[in-house]
């Protein structure tokens, strides 16, 4: 049986800094989603699992001021051809420099070749499903996102990705800081 930890939607209201979960009863961390008004639900961020929500919160907590966190970014990995339509990889979380606008970055990612080099894709993975295996295979085959710019945050130890691209929620702050230091010029203006 699949754990409910991964199958429950979580809603985060950034205005009140409160999280809601699709359950009948609340907890210390989550209020029941039935307590959300339509206005709160409209402005809330929806996460597909508790794990994805927790990864988002940890990343936000450790994100330097010169970087921004984007959600649900589509990367074109296989352009439209005679065999079929475009194939996109939707990254759950992406860190980019604050000097790049979100719209510009999203447009660049949808191109076959893009000029933005400094970004970090963070993929929360609780259970290694067939869809997750397919996403990993597409990423590896496309060479669109180098392994150095990819970080899978696993809930269990079933991911078959290289250790430099894998971490757990507990180890995320340290691994995230190391990746950010490697990829970005932290604390300095771009071009200095």
């Amino acid at each position: 049986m699949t754990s409910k930890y991964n199958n429950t939607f979580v809603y985060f209201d950034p205005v009140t800094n409160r999280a809601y979960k699709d359950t009948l009863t609340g907890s210390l961390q989550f209020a029941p989603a039935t307590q959300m008004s339509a206005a709160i639900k409209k402005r809330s961020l929806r996460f597909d699992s508790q794990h994805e929500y927790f990864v988002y919160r940890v990343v936000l907590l450790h994100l330097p001021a010169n970087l921004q966190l984007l959600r649900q970014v589509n990367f074109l990995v296989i352009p439209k051809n005679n065999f079929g339509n475009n194939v996109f990889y939707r990254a759950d979380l992406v860190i980019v420099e604050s000097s790049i606008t979100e719209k510009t970055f999203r447009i660049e990612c949808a191109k076959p070749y893009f000029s933005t080099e400094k970004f970090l894709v963070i993929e929360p993975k609780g259970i290694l499903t067939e869809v997750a295996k397919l996403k990993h295979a597409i990423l590896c085959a496309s060479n669109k996102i180098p392994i150095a710019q990819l970080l899978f945050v696993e809930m269990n130890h079933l991911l078959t990705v290289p250790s430099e691209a894998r971490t757990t929620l507990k180890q995320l702050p340290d691994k995230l800081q190391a990746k950010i230091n490697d990829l970005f010029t932290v604390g300095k203006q771009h071009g200095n």
Side-chain angles (χ1 to χ4, degrees), residues 52-63 69 168-174 176:
E52 182 180 339
Y53 165 74
F54 287 137
V55 169
Y56 171 81
R57 293 301 299 253
V58 169
V59 171
L60 268 186
L61 187 64
H62 294 90
L63 195 66
L69 182 61
T168 63
L169 191 58
K170 183 177 178 180
Q171 300 164 337
L172 180 58
D174 294 333
L176 180 64

Side-chain angles (χ1 to χ4, degrees), residues 9 14 21 43-45 56 58 61 64-65 67 92 101 109 114 120 124-125 150 155 166 170 176-178 182 184 191:
F9 289 126
K21 187 169 75 168
R43 72 177 179 230
S44 292
L45 304 173
Y56 171 81
V58 169
L61 187 64
L67 301 176
D92 289 329
T101 66
C109 292
F114 61 96
L120 175 62
K125 291 292 169 220
L150 191 57
M155 190 173 76
R166 186 177 73 220
K170 183 177 178 180
L176 180 64
Q177 189 61 50
D182 288 346
F184 302 99

Side-chain angles (χ1 to χ4, degrees), residues 18-146:
R18 189 163 187 197
Y20 300 86
K21 187 169 75 168
D22 278 339
T23 58
L24 297 176
T25 60
S27 66
L28 290 175
Q29 296 169 323
F30 302 101
T34 55
Q35 292 181 1
M36 285 191 303
S37 66
I40 291 173
K41 191 166 187 171
K42 186 175 181 179
R43 72 177 179 230
S44 292
L45 304 173
R46 190 184 98 169
F47 297 90
D48 291 336
S49 68
Q50 288 182 44
H51 183 63
E52 182 180 339
Y53 165 74
F54 287 137
V55 169
Y56 171 81
R57 293 301 299 253
V58 169
V59 171
L60 268 186
L61 187 64
H62 294 90
L63 195 66
N66 64 330
L67 301 176
Q68 63 179 317
L69 182 61
L70 307 178
R71 296 183 64 240
Q72 303 298 320
V73 177
N74 290 324
F75 288 86
L76 176 64
V77 290
I78 303 172
K80 183 176 179 177
N81 55 42
N82 295 339
F83 301 107
N85 293 329
N86 292 333
V87 175
F88 288 93
Y89 171 79
R90 178 172 289 165
D92 289 329
L93 304 170
V94 180
I95 296 174
V96 296
E97 293 177 320
S98 295
S99 60
I100 301 170
T101 66
E102 180 176 351
K103 183 177 179 180
T104 301
F105 186 76
R106 289 182 185 276
I107 290 170
E108 283 294 310
C109 292
K111 294 178 181 177
Y113 302 99
F114 61 96
S115 59
T116 306
E117 295 176 7
K118 292 185 177 184
F119 64 90
L120 175 62
V121 172
I122 301 174
E123 280 294 327
K125 291 292 169 220
I127 296 173
L128 193 58
T129 61
E130 293 303 314
V131 172
K133 288 178 188 177
L134 182 59
K135 284 176 84 172
H136 299 170
I138 289 171
L139 267 182
C140 292
S142 72
N143 292 322
K144 183 82 173 207
I145 303 171

